[in-house]
Amino acid sequence: DNSPEAGLKGSLRKDFFWGYATAAPQIEGAWNADGKGPSTWDILAHTPGRVIDASTADDATRSYDFFREDVKLMKSYGVNAYRFSLSWSRIIPLGGKDDPVNEAGIKFYSELIDELLAHDITPFVTLFHWDVPQALEDRYKSMLDAEKYVPDFVRYARVCFETFGGKVKHWITYNEPGVYALAGYAGGAHAPNRSSDREKYSEGDTSTEPWIVGHTQLLSHAQVYRMYKEEFAHTQHGTIGITLSGNWSAPYDATSPADIAAAQRALEFEIAWFADPVHGSGDYPASMRAQLGSRLPTFTDAEKQTVKGSSDFYGMNTYTAFFVRDKVPPGQPIPPEDHKGNLAWSDINSEGVSRGAESDTEWLRTSPWGFAKLLHWVWDRYRVPIYITENGTTAKGEHVPAPPAGDVLNDVHRIEFYRAYVGEVAKAVTEGIDIRSYFGWTLLDNWEWAKGYTDRFGVTWVDFESEEKKRYPKRSAAFNREFFEHLIAR
Ligand code: PNW
């Protein structure tokens, strides 16, 4: 019996969407096939020293070639939905509003969408999962120049709605604008590799650029949302929103007012940075303005009106929870490169309790207790239907050479993760929270960005040494199938 509590049987809505999520740059491969233009991530992968195992995503899992096998696999996993992203530079190789559309790219995604629909799998389509066309980076530094960037993104979205909107009814504009801004423009490890750290990176200003890049994503997201509502919704009848990254933050010392405030600040810097403008007041949280001052861009009144309410749902990507404590004492200056709200992390709290079991990924531990709190925090603050668009884990020791031998497909750690997290979804629903989807991250072991092939997040083992990137189902895939059948009792 896979139920955490027998009482949760059938607790998910009959029309609940569940399945797995992926991202184009992590699975497609075919990086320059059939007219595709290079993305910033292709350039990063081809630059020595940028990816820890020196791998590229040139082939990845070869899903460009094997998408029909992927759909078959998903069908065998019992899913009723699939979240994937479109590669902007496969559709418009040079990216810009006056640049030509690549018919081969359109054909690929049309065939994928048709294949999904033929198998009764509902497509959830992300327009942007981190791969900017390199041409736009070269022309005007992409998101650092909102005036030039916004019309280019809006036109790309228009092409997608016009081409796929008859069949796609669930759209996500951006995936995790905050992680994109911080990893690419503060830490610098992600594309386009900008940071103030001159030992590692040649360009960038960590104190200002992440906030500008976040702002550009909000403005362009909101324009695309309004365009969809005004020009497409009445004939296409779809929903559209944005997906935000957010992990729970709890005070290190639950009796310390400073730590309690730090945990709240952590949630605001990570989540409310985007969620307050979109789902709340229409503006950035006061805690961010107080710390960042004029380094944080401002919205005009007209922009606030456009951004406010610009998402039909709360798209939630979540993985873990942290304990946080106050860092710089009040009254002392916070360094401008601080992007997290002046706090420090800990794996244990003041009573020595661990945030959860370790995975192969240093920031990610199994912390379902935090997920339960996060769902309530988001629901109480924003009151919009929640689509969980990513949740999953690596498992300790899975980074072993292919083909899988012994017990490697028996991914107990991942099963326990899903059992606990999906159980919290069902429980939250019984507590009155409106949750409409759950997408596990991810369908296949894939190219985990700057970590290359070293982190395996899939419910499917992929043999990257084999020519055809052979797929082997892990036991978690069968577990999830049974678990969701139990929770969505029809
Ligand atoms: C997400 N964090 O990124 C992305 O959407 C996926 O493409 C990625 O493969 C997946 O999570 C696993 O990393 C995140 O530090 C990266 O909290 C970092 C964090 C969260 C999400």
Side-chain angles (χ1 to χ4, degrees):
D1 182 2
N2 281 331
S3 61
E5 296 164 41
L8 292 178
K9 184 172 165 63
S11 60
L12 299 184
R13 345 169 9 128
K14 302 248 182 279
D15 59 353
F16 194 86
F17 292 107
W18 89 274
Y20 295 98
T22 63
Q26 296 182 272
I27 64 163
E28 284 182 3
W31 77 282
N32 63 356
D34 302 332
K36 179 179 170 294
S39 77
T40 51
W41 273 100
D42 293 320
I43 301 306
L44 177 156
H46 296 158
T47 306
R50 295 293 194 226
V51 181
I52 64 173
D53 58 3
S55 66
T56 70
D58 292 3
D59 298 323
T61 64
R62 294 190 60 193
S63 288
Y64 185 78
D65 301 313
F66 300 132
F67 71 92
R68 291 184 205 278
E69 283 77 357
D70 288 348
V71 173
K72 223 172 271 147
L73 194 61
M74 279 190 270
K75 195 67 198 167
S76 78
Y77 291 173
V79 311
N80 61 24
Y82 175 46
R83 173 177 175 243
F84 63 96
S85 83
L86 306 176
S87 156
W88 184 348
S89 64
R90 195 180 289 292
I91 292 174
I92 306 171
L94 296 174
K97 66 178 170 39
D98 301 316
D99 294 319
V101 169
N102 175 32
E103 288 310 324
I106 299 282
K107 180 166 169 278
F108 168 64
Y109 292 115
S110 299
E111 289 179 1
L112 169 59
I113 291 162
D114 286 343
E115 189 74 4
L116 289 165
L117 294 174
H119 288 79
D120 290 316
I121 298 173
T122 301
F124 277 61
V125 178
T126 308
L127 293 174
F128 181 82
H129 201 126
W130 302 358
D131 45 351
V132 168
Q134 180 62 31
L136 304 186
E137 194 57 30
D138 296 341
R139 278 181 200 162
Y140 56 78
K141 297 193 167 61
S142 67
M143 293 184 196
L144 289 175
D145 189 338
E147 226 176 289
K148 296 204 175 73
Y149 173 89
V150 175
D152 285 348
F153 184 72
V154 170
R155 189 281 190 128
Y156 161 56
R158 174 185 292 287
V159 169
C160 296
F161 298 151
E162 283 172 349
T163 316
F164 310 120
K167 292 172 178 173
V168 172
K169 305 299 167 191
H170 299 271
W171 293 100
I172 292 161
T173 54
Y174 282 94
N175 178 74
E176 300 188 347
V179 173
Y180 181 76
L182 292 180
Y185 293 81
H190 282 196
N193 291 129
R194 297 181 65 89
S195 167
S196 294
D197 181 353
R198 285 289 167 273
E199 277 174 27
K200 288 193 192 142
Y201 307 106
S202 56
E203 275 188 273
D205 175 0
T206 295
S207 71
T208 55
E209 290 183 3
W211 313 117
I212 296 168
V213 165
H215 201 71
T216 300
Q217 288 175 93
L218 278 168
L219 294 176
S220 53
H221 152 77
Q223 283 214 23
V224 165
Y225 178 86
R226 301 296 165 201
M227 173 175 77
Y228 185 80
K229 291 286 150 173
E230 281 155 30
E231 299 182 40
F232 297 95
H234 62 286
T235 52
Q236 298 187 350
H237 309 293
T239 58
I240 177 165
I242 189 166
T243 274
L244 306 178
S245 167
N247 299 298
W248 182 247
S249 286
Y252 169 76
D253 176 352
T255 67
S256 151
D259 287 0
I260 292 167
Q264 185 64 19
R265 236 171 23 244
L267 292 165
E268 292 181 355
F269 269 72
E270 187 182 356
I271 299 172
W273 174 12
F274 297 94
D276 274 14
V278 169
H279 298 289
S281 66
D283 205 350
Y284 295 118
S287 57
M288 294 184 74
R289 183 64 64 196
Q291 181 182 315
L292 301 169
S294 62
R295 289 188 288 124
L296 186 66
T298 52
F299 296 106
T300 65
D301 284 342
E303 285 167 348
K304 270 184 214 166
Q305 289 317 306
T306 310
V307 172
K308 191 179 159 142
S310 63
S311 186
D312 295 336
F313 52 84
Y314 186 103
M316 177 187 286
N317 286 3
T318 190
Y319 288 86
T320 195
F322 304 100
F323 293 117
V324 302
R325 54 213 305 197
D326 205 32
K327 202 163 60 181
V328 181
Q332 307 227 356
I334 299 165
E337 64 275 14
D338 182 297
H339 293 94
K340 302 287 185 179
N342 182 31
L343 41 95
W345 279 276
S346 174
D347 283 334
I348 53 162
N349 70 10
S350 61
E351 294 178 331
V353 177
S354 159
R355 66 192 178 99
E358 285 176 45
S359 66
D360 255 3
T361 307
E362 71 295 337
W363 55 268
L364 205 175
R365 291 184 177 224
T366 304
S367 325
W369 59 273
F371 181 42
K373 291 200 153 71
L374 176 73
L375 286 167
H376 279 277
W377 190 85
V378 166
W379 178 246
D380 290 343
R381 190 168 172 123
Y382 303 114
R383 282 290 147 154
V384 279
I386 297 171
Y387 282 66
I388 293 160
T389 42
E390 279 181 29
N391 179 231
T393 190
T394 52
K396 228 172 170 38
E398 260 192 333
H399 181 49
V400 296
D407 228 17
V408 79
L409 297 177
N410 184 15
D411 52 342
V412 175
H413 177 87
R414 184 172 291 99
I415 289 172
E416 292 313 318
F417 182 98
Y418 281 124
R419 186 199 303 279
Y421 278 70
V422 176
E424 292 299 345
V425 173
K427 192 150 156 280
V429 166
T430 66
E431 292 163 355
I433 303 182
D434 183 357
I435 305 175
R436 301 188 183 185
S437 79
Y438 180 94
F439 292 91
W441 185 268
T442 180
L443 178 64
L444 306 164
D445 292 341
N446 64 25
W447 193 67
E448 176 57 24
W449 308 110
K451 291 197 175 157
Y453 298 105
T454 65
D455 266 15
R456 292 177 177 268
F457 273 89
V459 294
T460 311
W461 176 278
V462 176
D463 177 0
F464 291 105
E465 325 252 287
S466 70
E467 185 60 29
E468 69 281 21
K469 312 297 172 193
K470 207 163 166 353
R471 283 109 159 102
Y472 300 83
K474 301 180 193 176
R475 206 156 71 79
S476 53
F479 170 82
N480 280 344
R481 177 183 181 134
E482 216 185 298
F483 200 11
F484 277 98
E485 276 169 7
H486 173 88
L487 292 171
I488 315 174
R490 294 189 195 259

